[in-house]
Amino acid sequence: MNIPASTKGQIPDKAMADLLLLSQRPEFKKLLDVPQVNWVLFFACSFCLAAWAYVSQLWLAGELSAIWLVVLSTYTFFIFLLTGHEAAHLSMARNLKINDWLATVLTIIPFPQLPILQWRHQHLTHHRDTCGEDDPDERLYKGSLLVNMFKVATQDFYWAYWSFRHRNTATVVTQWASLSGMAIYISILAVGLSSAYWYEFVMLYVLPQRIGFFVAIYMFAYVQHPPEKCSAKEHNPFKTTVVIRGFDSAFASVYFGQNRHLIHHLYPNMPIYRNWKAWQLGKDIFEQQELVNVGINSEHFEEISRQNGLQNSTNHQFMDVTIKSVTTVADGINHYSFAPAKGGEDFPTFKAGAHVDVIIEPGLIRQYSLCNASDQKNRYEIAVQCENDGRGGSRTLHEKFKVGDNIKISKPRNLFELKKASEVILFAGGIGITPMLAMAWTLHRQKIPFHLHYCTASSSKWAFKDHWNDLPFLANTSVYLDDDSSHKFNAKIELEGHDNADIYVCGPGGFMDYIEKTVMDAGFSQEQFNKESFKAGGELGVSENKSFTVKLLKSKQEIEVHADKSIVQALTEKNIFIPISCENGVCGTCRCKVNGEIEHRDMVLSDDEKNRVKLFTPCVSRSAGGMIELPDY
């Protein structure tokens, strides 16, 4: 399962699954798409350049005090830094060249010593290796208060030094950009400070730049990150950044959403001005975590956070259950019914769409959807398809799980939950029938109009076929077999006349892509469409890694990517560097064009980017078969 975790550490399992499903919410997923041009930061930075020139003119004319000059200019330099920061994360434009040139033009005057290529080199290392030996910002936390304040004020000089020390991990172009940028800056300082207008130069350029830089680095280093961030990241990366409480929406507007800096660390390629909206859309998840709170009424939120920590710890505990029955319900598909190990107890309640973690053996945990009616408190049911060529979870489960065995499972969790709707259409493909059945039971009992469309390969693969005719909602179901030409499935036809229905789909990736495209082409809104993906065996996960070859188009160099390596790792070993940040397929920093058949494992690219633009994320995605071709770096 590919999970957002740009701050390295062990995100709790429940939060991992929740964040995965959050990324599939249509409105949230839109926020992960990098715009063609980040007009918000473009206009903000352009306005600040004009404002800087205007207040400078007012001060020179004696119409503005020195204090107001410094205050207003300092904020403009803060925005200049944010613009460079966005470009470092490839969030100023979707096209890499436009991203870098646009940010360079906007920031070259205020911060020539911070060329975008160098900033990307050191800042993405900070995201990947927070608190590690290579983290360029870790020095800020070692030393006395006075020493650290000096470090903050001169951190840009240290970044240039850090980039030189780590030049073996950067491209030649990045190395030259770093040296040239600092040389230009030192020349500007030398000329300005030695001129007859040195006082004006200091007031209009040096002072606001230094103060703006100091404020930005101080805020992000000491306010946004708590002192215990390094110890916290190993067990709960949610505690590596703080949540600033008070005047939330107003502060978010001025501070570009960084009062919820946590969002940036989880989704570093998301344009920062969207961070506040992302928090709002995922608030039900984020507020359930154990967070570090500062600001107005922070004590109240700290108590809630402490309770969340206790609750999450309790919820993460696995329950002892007994396997009451094992039934073959289709070719290669077993149905398992669990009951509380202690007689007389009821299971925690769940809602349709929920899934549980199942410990198959020590170190082997898989997630499976509950497929029974949610009002059955004394049992949970799952169905698992055995995949001999899979990752081993389903095969081991089929071989080992017997009636009477005591096993451990987690409490149910759910982000694929039915929403209030006047009508619902369910589409299930293969083993994706499991959550759809639970939903059908709920809709039937709530008397909400619905129809379940189930597509499977053949009659022998039809899960629960022997009991299908016993379903009380049989009339609300349609089954389509690939090997039955007399009853072909056409999603477009089945959607006609149901414009107000909510759509739910679960199944293999290709099946879901077909349903999603058909739904969107039919004019349904993103809010009406809901999906949950299943791989082989009914697991929420990824398929088994296989070795393949990457060919670089210009140099014609061919690089073997072994099963235990990512494409990024294989290229890095050959001193070929791709910009990366999260290494989990969430941020989109490493996205690039590709030729070849790709198994996409990211959670950030749109279908259009994957299919038409031919982009992929080499940090997690792999070849689906044969050689793939990439541009040279």
Side-chain angles (χ1 to χ4, degrees):
M1 188 188 300
N2 298 327
I3 301 298
S6 61
T7 301
K8 291 184 177 179
Q10 299 299 315
I11 290 182
D13 287 346
K14 178 182 184 300
M16 290 173 71
D18 288 351
L19 289 173
L20 172 67
L21 295 175
L22 172 63
S23 297
Q24 295 178 357
R25 290 180 179 176
E27 284 303 307
F28 192 91
K29 192 173 180 64
K30 287 179 183 178
L31 301 179
L32 298 173
D33 293 337
V34 175
Q36 292 290 350
V37 175
N38 187 335
W39 292 113
V40 173
L41 260 296
F42 172 80
F43 285 120
C45 190
S46 299
F47 175 81
C48 284
L49 283 169
W52 177 33
Y54 180 66
V55 298
S56 298
Q57 182 181 3
L58 290 178
W59 179 75
L60 289 171
E63 298 177 14
L64 187 70
S65 69
I67 293 178
W68 276 111
L69 169 69
V70 173
V71 170
L72 295 175
S73 297
T74 292
Y75 184 72
T76 66
F77 276 86
F78 176 75
I79 300 302
F80 301 149
L81 275 173
L82 286 185
T83 304
H85 172 271
E86 286 289 86
H89 283 290
L90 304 174
S91 299
M92 279 300 293
R94 191 172 297 176
N95 180 278
L96 176 61
K97 290 183 179 179
I98 295 176
N99 176 89
D100 290 356
W101 277 108
L102 182 62
T104 298
V105 169
L106 291 171
T107 63
I108 187 65
I109 296 175
F111 286 108
Q113 75 274 32
L114 294 175
I116 302 305
L117 293 179
Q118 177 215 309
W119 200 340
R120 181 174 301 131
H121 178 215
Q122 57 86 13
H123 189 64
L124 296 189
T125 301
H126 158 69
H127 272 266
R128 289 197 307 274
D129 196 40
T130 300
C131 298
E133 294 181 358
D134 292 332
D135 184 357
D137 297 338
E138 186 57 24
R139 69 187 281 269
L140 296 173
Y141 305 96
K142 300 174 181 177
S144 65
L145 177 63
L146 186 62
V147 169
N148 284 344
M149 293 304 97
F150 175 78
K151 290 179 180 178
V152 169
T154 58
Q155 183 68 357
D156 48 342
F157 289 93
Y158 177 78
W159 283 341
Y161 168 68
W162 181 94
S163 291
F164 178 76
R165 280 185 56 201
H166 293 78
R167 59 190 180 280
N168 62 322
T169 64
T171 63
V172 174
V173 176
T174 299
Q175 295 175 35
W176 276 108
S178 179
L179 291 173
S180 301
M182 184 54 68
I184 292 172
Y185 180 55
I186 292 175
S187 299
I188 291 173
L189 290 180
V191 172
L193 293 174
S194 62
S195 72
Y197 300 99
W198 67 268
Y199 177 68
E200 289 82 357
F201 177 70
V202 168
M203 292 298 295
L204 298 177
Y205 186 77
V206 177
L207 199 58
Q209 185 206 59
R210 286 295 95 193
I211 295 176
F213 185 82
F214 180 91
V215 170
I217 300 303
Y218 181 87
M219 286 292 294
F220 284 100
Y222 297 109
V223 177
Q224 296 285 17
H225 298 281
E228 64 274 15
K229 67 182 178 67
C230 292
S231 59
K233 82 182 184 89
E234 296 300 331
H235 61 85
N236 190 355
F238 287 101
K239 298 181 71 174
T240 60
T241 60
V242 304
V243 175
I244 303 176
R245 305 285 184 175
F247 304 105
D248 287 349
S249 59
F251 197 4
S253 298
V254 176
Y255 202 31
F256 282 80
Q258 294 314 288
N259 49 343
R260 299 297 187 270
H261 190 58
L262 166 66
I263 302 297
H264 175 63
H265 272 255
L266 290 171
Y267 306 98
N269 200 229
M270 178 188 292
I272 58 173
Y273 69 87
R274 296 176 179 173
N275 285 178
W276 174 247
K277 186 174 182 180
W279 176 272
Q280 295 297 102
L281 291 175
K283 191 174 181 179
D284 57 323
I285 293 173
F286 300 129
E287 292 284 15
Q288 291 177 15
Q289 311 307 322
E290 190 176 3
L291 306 173
V292 179
N293 300 273
V294 298
I296 298 175
N297 205 22
S298 60
E299 296 83 1
H300 167 71
F301 289 102
E302 279 294 288
E303 177 59 24
I304 294 176
S305 180
R306 189 183 70 82
Q307 294 298 329
N308 285 341
L310 294 174
Q311 184 67 28
N312 290 341
S313 177
T314 301
N315 287 342
H316 185 60
Q317 294 175 358
F318 284 84
M319 305 181 295
D320 292 315
V321 302
T322 300
I323 301 176
K324 301 300 290 184
S325 67
V326 179
T327 308
T328 299
V329 294
D331 184 13
I333 301 177
N334 282 354
H335 169 266
Y336 299 85
S337 179
F338 306 139
K342 294 181 180 180
E345 292 186 356
D346 285 338
F347 279 135
T349 59
F350 72 95
K351 293 183 179 180
H355 64 272
V356 295
D357 295 341
V358 179
I359 298 181
I360 299 172
E361 60 182 20
L364 183 60
I365 301 175
R366 295 291 184 264
Q367 295 78 34
Y368 298 100
S369 282
L370 297 174
C371 59
N372 58 304
S374 59
D375 58 358
Q376 296 173 327
K377 297 181 179 180
N378 62 342
R379 73 173 186 265
Y380 292 156
E381 297 178 10
I382 64 172
V384 181
Q385 179 171 291
C386 181
E387 292 290 338
N388 292 321
D389 296 328
R391 294 184 295 158
S394 62
R395 183 176 64 252
T396 303
L397 188 149
H398 269 243
E399 293 172 352
K400 290 192 171 184
F401 279 22
K402 309 297 181 185
V403 174
D405 287 353
N406 286 332
I407 63 169
K408 290 183 180 293
I409 66 172
S410 70
K411 295 180 180 180
R413 53 180 179 265
N414 193 348
L415 276 177
F416 189 48
E417 190 174 320
L418 284 168
K419 300 178 293 188
K420 289 184 179 180
S422 59
E423 182 185 7
V424 174
I425 299 178
L426 307 173
F427 292 105
I431 195 61
I433 186 62
T434 51
M436 298 290 102
L437 274 180
M439 289 184 174
W441 277 108
T442 295
L443 294 168
H444 169 69
R445 291 178 176 176
Q446 293 179 351
K447 298 185 176 359
I448 297 174
F450 78 96
H451 200 93
L452 168 60
H453 299 276
Y454 177 31
C455 302
T456 190
S458 63
S459 179
S460 65
K461 288 290 187 180
W462 179 350
F464 305 102
K465 177 185 177 183
D466 293 344
H467 304 283
W468 203 265
N469 289 333
D470 298 329
L471 294 173
F473 46 83
L474 176 64
N476 298 75
T477 69
S478 298
V479 180
Y480 311 86
L481 308 178
D482 291 350
D483 59 2
D484 181 5
S485 59
S486 64
H487 187 41
K488 287 295 184 182
F489 174 62
N490 187 320
K492 181 180 178 181
I493 294 176
E494 302 304 336
L495 289 170
E496 291 178 354
H498 302 281
D499 296 347
N500 296 320
D502 275 7
I503 313 298
Y504 291 81
V505 60
C506 185
F511 174 78
M512 292 201 307
D513 290 343
Y514 162 66
I515 297 296
E516 183 170 13
K517 184 178 186 305
T518 305
V519 168
M520 294 299 106
D521 289 347
F524 288 81
S525 67
Q526 282 287 352
E527 290 74 18
Q528 291 174 272
F529 182 74
N530 309 271
K531 67 179 179 179
E532 181 173 59
S533 60
F534 272 83
K535 297 295 182 180
E539 302 171 7
L540 285 162
V542 297
S543 58
E544 184 179 18
N545 288 348
K546 296 180 180 179
S547 298
F548 59 94
T549 302
V550 170
K551 182 178 181 179
L552 301 180
L553 287 173
K554 291 183 180 180
S555 65
K556 306 300 181 184
Q557 184 178 1
E558 295 185 5
I559 298 170
E560 185 75 9
V561 181
H562 297 290
D564 61 342
K565 298 283 186 181
S566 70
I567 296 175
V568 166
Q569 290 170 333
L571 294 178
T572 300
E573 290 177 354
K574 299 294 183 180
N575 292 322
I576 301 169
F577 304 105
I578 295 178
I580 54 175
S581 181
C582 73
E583 298 185 80
N584 285 278
V586 174
C587 71
T589 298
C590 65
R591 68 189 188 278
C592 62
K593 288 202 171 187
V594 62
N595 295 328
E597 190 176 353
I598 298 298
E599 180 186 333
H600 292 281
R601 299 182 178 182
D602 67 276
M603 293 186 289
V604 63
L605 297 179
S606 65
D607 290 337
D608 181 65
E609 290 175 316
K610 294 175 184 176
N611 301 323
R612 184 182 63 83
V613 187
K614 301 298 182 184
L615 295 178
F616 89 130
T617 52
C619 65
V620 292
S621 298
R622 305 181 69 82
S623 167
M627 179 186 294
I628 61 174
E629 297 177 329
L630 301 180
D632 284 49
Y633 285 86

